[in-house]
């Protein structure tokens, strides 16, 4: 398992530039990084996040339509969130 595994969740998400942006940053900083797009239908979002975490995912960005669902999954939120 890759120890620096990150992702962006969305539906659709194929258009996301996040993987290439994060890969460029990681390369410039000498960081090994695996950053994927995960297309999760709204009904599968929670299960997809759980699977990602269980399989070693370290962090993720969330885009539409999952923002409210992501908040609902959080154990705690900062005032900024």
């Amino acid at each position: 398992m890759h120890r620096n595994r990150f992702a962006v969740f969305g539906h659709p998400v194929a258009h996301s530039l996040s993987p290439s942006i994060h890969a460029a940053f990681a390369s410039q900083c000498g960081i090994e990084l695996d950053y994927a797009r995960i297309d999760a239908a709204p009904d599968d979002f929670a299960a997809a996040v759980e699977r990602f975490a269980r399989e070693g995912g370290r962090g993720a960005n969330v885009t539409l339509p999952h923002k409210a669902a992501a908040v609902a999954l959080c154990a705690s939120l900062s005032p900024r969130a």
Side-chain angles (χ1 to χ4, degrees):
M1 234 174 273
H2 199 286
R3 74 170 191 245
N4 283 320
R5 188 167 174 250
F6 297 86
V8 58
F9 286 84
H11 185 69
V13 74
H15 65 282
S16 176
L17 298 178
S18 288
S20 57
I21 291 168
H22 285 83
F25 170 78
S27 176
Q28 290 172 359
C29 295
I31 298 169
E32 216 176 303
L33 181 72
D34 176 17
Y35 193 105
R37 291 175 190 92
I38 299 177
D39 192 320
D43 290 345
D44 188 44
F45 174 69
V49 170
E50 145 87 41
R51 213 170 20 254
F52 177 73
R54 187 177 58 244
E55 294 172 355
R58 296 195 57 202
N61 293 345
V62 178
T63 191
L64 295 174
H66 302 310
K67 297 224 181 236
V71 168
L73 292 176
C74 293
S76 64
L77 290 171
S78 69
R80 186 173 180 198

